[in-house]
Structures are given as C-alpha cells and as structure tokens.
Amino acid sequence: MSAASAPSPISILDTDLYKLTMQQAVLHQFPDVQATYRFTNRDKNTLFSRQCIERFRTAVSQFTDLALTTEEHEWLRTACPYFTPSYLAFLAAYRYKPEQVRITFVPVSADGLLGNVEIEAFGPWVDTILWEVPLMASLSESYFNSVMTDWNYDSQEQSAYEKGCALLKAGCAFSEFGTRRRRSYLTQDILLKSLVRASRDVQETTGRLSGTSNVHFAHKYGLTPIGTIAHEWFMGVAALKGYEGANNVALDLWERVYPDSTLIALTDTFSTDAFFKDFTSDPERVRRWNGLRQDSGDPFAFGPRVKAMYESLGIDPREKIIVYSDALNVEKAIRLQKQANELGLQKASFGIGTFLTNDFKTASSGGTEKSKALNMVIKLSSVNDRPCIKISDDLTKNTGDKSTVEHVKRLYNLIPAPSQA
C-alpha cells in the first residue's frame, strides 16, 4: 500500500554517486562559479496538484536537517578512496540551503487545483550541484502519494527478485541507477534488498550485481557505489571554457581530479559524432580511459562503433568497459549482452534505472495497465550567466538555449535540426 505522505529525508548520502564525484571536481576546479539548474517536465500531459507541490515544498524545507554522520564519513573514506580528505571535510560541513530553490506552481485548471511546476536552483555551483537528485526523487514521491495514487506495493519484491535473477542468469553485470525517478524511498529499498537476495541465490554465472548509484543504499546493503562522469560536467566546462574541443577539455580536467580512478567517458553531451572526433584525436587518452558510456541514440549501433574505434587505434576492445544506461529494461539488457558477447566486448555492463525503481501497474486494472513514471529532468541551465546546452543523439533530449544549441551544431558540423526544449 502506498504511503500517506512523503517521508522526511533519510541521509545526505541518499543521492547518486556522480553528484558527489562532480561536486569534488567542481570544488577543485571551479569553486567560485555560480550556477542555475532548471526543471523540465517532458510529458506535457502530466499535471501536478497544488497539494502535491505543497507537500514537495515541505520535503525540500526539511533537507536542512541532513548532515554527514561520523559513520558515513568513515565508510566513504574507505569505500571511495578517490575522495580527498579536503573534500570529505567539505561534505561534512555541507548543509542544504532551501533558499537556493525556487518552486512555482502554475495552475491551469479552472479551479486552480491542477497545474505545472517550475523549479529552479541557483547559487554557487559547488552547493547547488547536490540539489538535482533529491529534488527529482522528492517530487516523484510527492506526485505518487497525492496525484497518481492508483498503485500499491503488491508483488514489487517478487518482481524485483525475478528481474535480478533474469539478468544474472543471462550473464549481465548490472547496477541500479534509479534514484532520481524512483516511485518512493521504500520502492528503492525493496528493490535493492531483492536484488541482493537474487545475487546470493543465482550461482555459477558470469552475471553480477555490480552495485548501485545510490550512496546511502550502497552503505546500507554493503554494495559498491557506482557512478560515472555526467552530462553536466561537459555542459558546464564547455560554457566556461568554450565549445571548441570541449569534450577534450572536460575529460582532461576530470582526469586531473581522478588520475588513479576508473575513467568512464560519457559520449553524447554534444552528440556521439562530436565526441568521437574529439576523443580519438588523442590516442593516448583513449588508452588511459577505461571505457565509455552510452546514454542516448541506438545502443545496438554503439557497440560495433566502439569496437571499430578501438581497433582503428590498435587498442584491444576486450580490455575496455562499455556501459549502457539509456532506458534499459531486462529484455533490452539481455539482448545487448548477447551482442556484446558476439562482438567480443568482454566488459559490457548495464546501468538500469526507472525500470527497476518505478515499474508499477495500476491497482484498479488488476495489474494489467502500466502506471507511468514521471518523464522529467533537472539540467544545468547556466554557469556564471552563460547558457549550458546538451545535444544528445536523441533529438527529444536536447536542452538549453536554442541559439546556443544551433551555434554548437554548426560548430560540430551536425545536421541542422530543430532544437528541443
């Protein structure tokens, strides 16, 4: 049964690892930069109730109570040795500032009870960078506790267990990536407990539960916290340093902060074509970086392309990691694993998000109709008043200032296309 109201925040670590690794990178490289983040609801048919947004406001106000505990500090020091003592000291002193978040309910119904929501976070980049994940998770939980309530937890534990077993038996190495769009904190807790049980029960397989992106749940269940460099790093660096060769600049700055860590590059911030052009201009960097992550476009075209790229530089693709993370489900991950096996890509892995943490059916349909997750993002909008943009391989995911999008498309010789908000 769904909860009556959204719970208070649990832990400052109830977020994705990449927010912490990027916060450390910003602290080291851009400590004085100001930033703005903005919310986008991609599904224009989804409306929020006034009650939902008030509940959301209340949840946001309670984040001031969160602080890194001594136990969490010690665990991070050992579980994440790439965090420097200075960063851990910064995180221990960090407190969320709800005054950095502006939430506006925009009524559209005649009675003023249903409408859209505008969300903006603004302030020092090193502070505001942590707002993205908890804002989205809190909004989702508020929505499913007050607007779309036709669902329950029946069969969730068994469903999660069966998904884990299927992935493991197919030889998939996979991580849970679903914090931002989870239905609730309890959903993610049920899920991870079930996946851990599946990983203990399924033996004699090359598949494995690699970990979770959620740092709090990694701590709770003894899992590896998993994360890679994210779009906003490329977006912010490009806006600050210029778009010419922006991928290379972003990778170089990241490597300065994490010289001895596993380096996984995200390929689609300004399109995969632009990324590969930059990336392959320095073969030594290609050798140093451990792998690539695919997050938009056709994943079945990505594997062959990556293999050909490595082989063209005399690099054995079997030694490189390839991470798939775009809208995955069990069936898609298994098909991609089969392709990876055929290509000889021995280190394929899968980051699965919404399909694990927000896969529900409506209760009134008896479990036959899907209860859809929110289709939303919070993206870096500007740094030092310079607009930040993203040009992914999926045109519906392009975000940011339209004139800047068009300028960068021309710069990278991309096929002209209408930009998408």
Side-chain angles (χ1 to χ4, degrees):
M1 183 177 296
S2 61
S5 61
S8 299
I10 300 295
S11 165
I12 199 170
L13 297 186
D14 184 18
T15 190
D16 286 334
L17 178 67
Y18 78 90
K19 299 308 301 188
L20 302 184
T21 53
M22 287 200 300
Q23 186 180 47
Q24 176 170 260
V26 170
L27 180 66
H28 280 256
Q29 299 291 334
F30 304 107
D32 301 319
V33 167
Q34 299 292 304
T36 301
Y37 290 79
R38 288 199 174 94
F39 169 81
T40 299
N41 178 14
R42 288 174 173 161
D43 184 353
K44 304 306 180 185
N45 294 320
T46 296
L47 296 177
F48 300 90
S49 68
R50 189 179 292 274
Q51 177 195 31
C52 168
I53 301 308
E54 288 308 312
R55 182 171 293 169
F56 173 55
R57 288 184 203 275
T58 299
V60 171
S61 71
Q62 294 172 343
F63 274 86
T64 55
D65 300 332
L66 295 180
L68 191 70
T69 68
T70 301
E71 181 186 5
E72 290 171 335
H73 188 286
E74 275 305 297
W75 176 80
L76 277 178
R77 190 176 61 82
T78 56
C80 306
Y82 40 82
F83 287 142
T84 64
S86 62
Y87 172 67
L88 290 177
F90 174 87
L91 185 61
Y94 179 88
R95 298 296 183 272
Y96 280 102
K97 301 178 180 68
E99 62 269 23
Q100 293 175 338
V101 180
R102 183 182 297 120
I103 302 167
T104 306
F105 177 69
V106 183
V108 297
S109 64
D111 59 9
L113 297 180
L114 290 176
N116 300 309
V117 63
E118 297 173 355
I119 306 168
E120 185 176 85
F122 49 91
W125 193 9
V126 74
D127 285 350
T128 53
I129 197 166
L130 287 196
W131 274 116
E132 174 198 355
V133 172
L135 285 176
M136 292 178 68
S138 296
L139 179 61
S140 180
E141 184 150 359
S142 296
Y143 176 80
F144 286 107
N145 281 326
S146 58
V147 180
M148 176 52 70
T149 59
D150 183 16
W151 63 278
N152 56 50
Y153 288 109
D154 294 355
S155 77
Q156 277 298 302
E157 186 170 348
Q158 183 61 26
S159 174
Y161 176 77
E162 291 173 357
K163 290 173 182 176
C165 289
L167 289 163
L168 292 164
K169 290 175 181 177
C172 296
F174 70 97
S175 301
E176 181 275 313
F177 274 18
T179 303
R180 295 181 303 161
R181 299 184 185 93
R182 69 189 182 194
R183 185 144 302 202
S184 65
Y185 174 90
L186 180 57
T187 301
Q188 196 168 14
D189 198 14
I190 291 171
L191 165 75
L192 283 163
K193 181 168 58 177
S194 301
L195 294 180
V196 168
R197 180 163 65 94
S199 69
R200 290 171 180 163
D201 291 349
V202 178
Q203 302 295 323
E204 298 180 3
T205 175
T206 56
R208 70 182 186 280
L209 173 60
S210 301
T212 171
S213 63
N214 186 290
V215 187
H216 162 68
F217 282 117
H219 181 209
K220 181 175 181 177
Y221 287 109
L223 297 171
T224 301
I226 299 289
T228 69
I229 191 170
H231 294 114
E232 76 175 273
W233 180 253
F234 294 89
M235 294 165 67
V237 169
L240 291 167
K241 300 289 189 177
Y243 286 93
E244 187 74 42
N247 288 297
N248 288 340
V249 175
L251 293 175
D252 288 345
L253 289 175
W254 188 263
E255 196 172 346
R256 287 184 198 174
V257 181
Y258 299 103
D260 302 316
S261 300
T262 300
L263 298 168
I264 307 293
L266 184 59
T267 61
D268 69 329
T269 308
F270 308 118
S271 81
T272 299
D273 286 346
F275 175 84
F276 275 111
K277 182 179 179 182
D278 280 355
F279 191 54
T280 56
S281 68
D282 184 349
E284 287 307 310
R285 183 198 293 115
V286 179
R287 290 183 172 86
R288 289 195 308 273
W289 280 67
N290 304 89
L292 302 172
R293 176 159 75 95
Q294 186 270 344
D295 199 52
S296 68
D298 181 0
F300 293 95
F302 189 76
R305 181 175 189 178
V306 167
K307 180 181 180 181
M309 181 272 293
Y310 282 129
E311 290 179 339
S312 72
L313 297 175
I315 298 171
D316 187 348
R318 294 175 298 179
E319 298 175 354
K320 297 296 185 179
I321 300 167
I322 181 168
V323 180
Y324 296 94
S325 63
D326 180 31
L328 294 180
N329 57 29
V330 168
E331 183 271 337
K332 192 174 182 180
I334 291 174
R335 287 173 56 212
L336 285 166
Q337 180 64 57
K338 182 176 183 293
Q339 183 197 54
N341 293 341
E342 293 168 350
L343 292 170
L345 300 173
Q346 298 179 356
K347 295 185 177 182
S349 65
F350 306 91
I352 307 178
T354 307
F355 177 72
L356 292 178
T357 58
N358 208 326
D359 183 29
F360 284 80
K361 301 293 194 299
T362 59
S364 61
S365 70
T368 60
E369 295 180 5
K370 189 170 181 61
S371 173
K372 293 194 304 180
L374 292 176
N375 187 2
M376 59 178 177
V377 294
I378 291 178
K379 290 291 186 185
L380 185 64
S381 177
S382 68
V383 285
N384 284 353
D385 295 322
R386 299 175 186 177
C388 297
I389 59 110
K390 177 175 177 288
I391 306 173
S392 78
D393 296 317
D394 180 347
L395 291 182
T396 65
K397 292 186 176 181
N398 288 353
T399 58
D401 177 70
K402 292 184 177 181
S403 63
T404 305
V405 168
E406 293 305 315
H407 164 71
V408 176
K409 282 182 176 180
R410 290 192 296 272
L411 179 66
Y412 291 152
N413 296 316
L414 302 175
I415 298 173
S419 58
Q420 303 291 321

